[in-house]
């Protein structure tokens, strides 16, 4: 397993895990099998001609988008099983933390990981139990014919989601407490964030080249070479004494990260995170505008 730190903005970072052992990644546990079955069934309902099923999936997708991106990211980190704990303690399973040094200082990485691991544990624990407590009260809905017991499925999903996120955060905390995380500055990740705007044709050709790569290292090398030839730009940095927030993730950033590291699912996670952070930035800017007239009155 390796961890990625993807800066969404100058104040928000998404931490995501990628499992490297193909055998372990392909070997699904009970939780993974249930999740795969539910995802398949959900996709069938989305493609169905049944109006009720389409409405349900529409409502569900809206609800999913409201779940904080931090929760989705924490669920990418596998729970700490007894076998995995032994492997990590004895050095059989290395855990690298890759980050773009062009944005994140190496000295800040442990603190960022610690914050991600601890800041939401109480919240996930609390709502996991409340979701479980609420499940029995949804039983009467099951008596209604034709209509599925949506409250039960929603609370069951939220309970599982909070448990998964809580388990992921505890895993990061375990790694940090035992100094098992190796910090790795990723040149290609830094290049992706500072890359100049590429045309759609350039991106398509780079996508094809990356797919032809025989190893992950070869794929990263091809992406790096192309981006270096196209030049780069500087990122906006916070000004000392002020608290601006700048979005770093673009459509190009998401696509490059996805193709470079072989993680098609990260595209959606980064899109969700950037959408949520954009709203936070807009709200902060609105509050600053509202404060400005009030502050000006003090000097009249």
């Amino acid at each position: 397993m390796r961890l990625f730190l993807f800066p969404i903005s100058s104040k928000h970072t998404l931490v995501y895990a990628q499992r490297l052992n193909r055998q372990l990644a392909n070997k699904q546990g009970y939780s993974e099998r249930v999740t795969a079955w539910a995802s398949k069934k959900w996709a069938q309902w989305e493609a169905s001609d049944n109006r009720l099923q389409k409405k349900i999936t529409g409502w569900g997708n809206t609800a999913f988008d409201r779940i904080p991106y931090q929760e989705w990211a924490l669920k990418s980190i596998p729970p700490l099983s007894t076998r995995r704990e032994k492997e990590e303690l004895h050095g059989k399973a290395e855990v690298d933390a890759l980050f773009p040094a062009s944005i994140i200082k190496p000295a800040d990485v442990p603190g960022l990981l610690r914050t991600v691991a601890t800041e939401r544990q109480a919240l996930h624990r609390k709502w996991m139990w409340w979701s479980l407590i609420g499940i029995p009260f949804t039983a009467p809905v099951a008596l209604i014919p034709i209509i599925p017991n949506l409250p039960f499925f929603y609370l069951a999903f939220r309970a599982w989601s909070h448990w998964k996120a809580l388990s992921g955060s505890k895993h990061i905390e375990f790694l940090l407490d035992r100094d098992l995380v190796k910090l790795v500055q990723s040149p290609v990740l830094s290049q992706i964030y500072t890359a100049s705007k590429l045309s759609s044709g350039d991106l398509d050709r780079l996508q094809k080249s990356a797919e032809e790569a025989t190893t992950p290292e070869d794929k990263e090398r091809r992406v790096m070479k192309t981006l270096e030839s196209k030049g780069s730009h500087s990122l906006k940095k916070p000004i000392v004494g002020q608290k601006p927030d700048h979005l770093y993730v673009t459509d190009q950033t998401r696509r490059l990260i996805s193709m470079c590291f072989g993680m098609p699912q990260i595209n959606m996670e980064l899109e969700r995170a950037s959408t949520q952070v954009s709203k936070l930035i807009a709200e902060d800017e609105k509050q600053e505008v509202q404060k400005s007239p009030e502050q000006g009155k003090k000097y009249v």
Side-chain angles (χ1 to χ4, degrees):
M1 181 181 76
R2 60 180 178 177
L3 301 174
F4 287 89
L5 283 79
F6 298 121
I8 305 300
S9 72
S10 54
K11 293 183 181 179
H12 299 83
T13 300
L14 184 149
V15 176
Y16 198 84
Q18 180 185 38
R19 299 178 69 176
L20 299 177
N21 189 315
R22 291 186 178 181
Q23 289 184 340
L24 290 177
N26 294 330
K27 185 179 179 181
Q28 294 183 326
Y30 177 75
S31 175
E32 286 77 11
R33 290 197 298 271
V34 171
T35 303
W37 176 86
S39 298
K40 183 179 180 180
K41 181 63 67 175
W42 191 260
Q44 290 175 350
W45 278 34
E46 285 181 319
S48 173
D49 293 330
N50 186 295
R51 294 179 63 183
L52 177 60
Q53 292 180 352
K54 276 190 172 297
K55 282 188 176 181
I56 290 174
T57 53
W59 294 332
N61 289 331
T62 300
F64 291 161
D65 287 339
R66 292 176 180 173
I67 296 174
Y69 72 87
Q70 298 96 325
E71 182 176 329
W72 289 103
L74 284 172
K75 290 194 293 183
S76 71
I77 302 164
L80 187 62
S81 63
T82 302
R83 175 190 54 76
R84 184 173 286 111
E85 179 177 337
K86 289 181 179 179
E87 290 180 348
E88 290 174 349
L89 284 173
H90 293 87
K92 294 181 180 179
E94 295 183 351
V95 179
D96 293 339
L98 285 73
F99 62 96
S102 58
I103 303 177
I104 303 175
K105 296 179 181 178
D108 294 339
V109 174
L112 281 171
L113 290 174
R114 179 72 63 179
T115 298
V116 169
T118 59
E119 69 175 352
R120 299 178 62 86
Q121 281 193 16
L123 181 148
H124 290 307
R125 186 179 294 107
K126 170 186 173 181
W127 288 108
M128 177 187 70
W129 285 112
W130 276 114
S131 297
L132 290 171
I133 291 170
I135 286 177
F137 294 97
T138 66
V141 182
L143 300 177
I144 302 176
I146 302 176
I147 299 176
N149 191 343
L150 296 181
F152 166 81
F153 289 114
Y154 176 76
L155 289 178
F157 167 76
R158 294 305 288 133
W160 169 83
S161 184
H162 284 300
W163 169 80
K164 197 79 164 60
L166 179 61
S167 299
S169 66
K170 287 183 176 180
H171 193 171
I172 297 179
E173 191 174 20
F174 166 82
L175 295 170
L176 293 172
D177 288 343
R178 289 156 182 78
D179 197 24
L180 298 175
V181 178
K182 179 183 176 183
L183 306 187
V184 179
Q185 299 184 35
S186 173
V188 68
L189 198 51
S190 291
Q191 193 69 38
I192 286 174
Y193 272 94
T194 58
S196 297
K197 177 69 175 178
L198 301 180
S199 67
S200 58
D202 286 336
L203 282 171
D204 290 340
R205 284 187 290 273
L206 182 54
Q207 176 82 52
K208 184 177 180 180
S209 176
E211 292 173 351
E212 293 173 349
T214 55
T215 64
E217 293 77 14
D218 183 31
K219 183 179 295 184
E220 292 181 23
R221 188 162 47 248
R222 291 181 183 218
V223 172
M224 184 75 171
K225 183 177 179 181
T226 299
L227 296 182
E228 285 180 336
S229 67
K230 298 296 181 179
S232 61
H233 67 275
S234 58
L235 294 169
K236 292 182 179 180
K237 296 295 182 70
I239 303 171
V240 177
Q242 297 183 9
K243 297 181 179 180
D245 199 4
H246 307 290
L247 198 66
Y248 291 148
V249 175
T250 64
D251 291 344
Q252 175 175 296
T253 309
R254 292 189 286 106
R255 185 173 176 184
L256 288 173
I257 289 174
S258 177
M259 74 168 72
C260 182
F261 299 105
M263 296 189 294
Q265 71 280 9
I266 196 60
N267 198 329
M268 180 177 64
E269 300 299 340
L270 289 170
E271 181 179 15
R272 178 185 290 115
S274 59
T275 299
Q276 292 181 5
V277 171
S278 293
K279 292 180 180 179
L280 292 175
I281 293 175
E283 290 174 3
D284 289 342
E285 291 177 346
K286 184 177 179 180
Q287 290 177 2
E288 288 297 323
V289 171
Q290 292 174 346
K291 288 179 181 179
S292 296
E294 297 178 1
Q295 292 175 350
K297 291 178 182 179
K298 296 179 181 179
Y299 301 97
V300 176

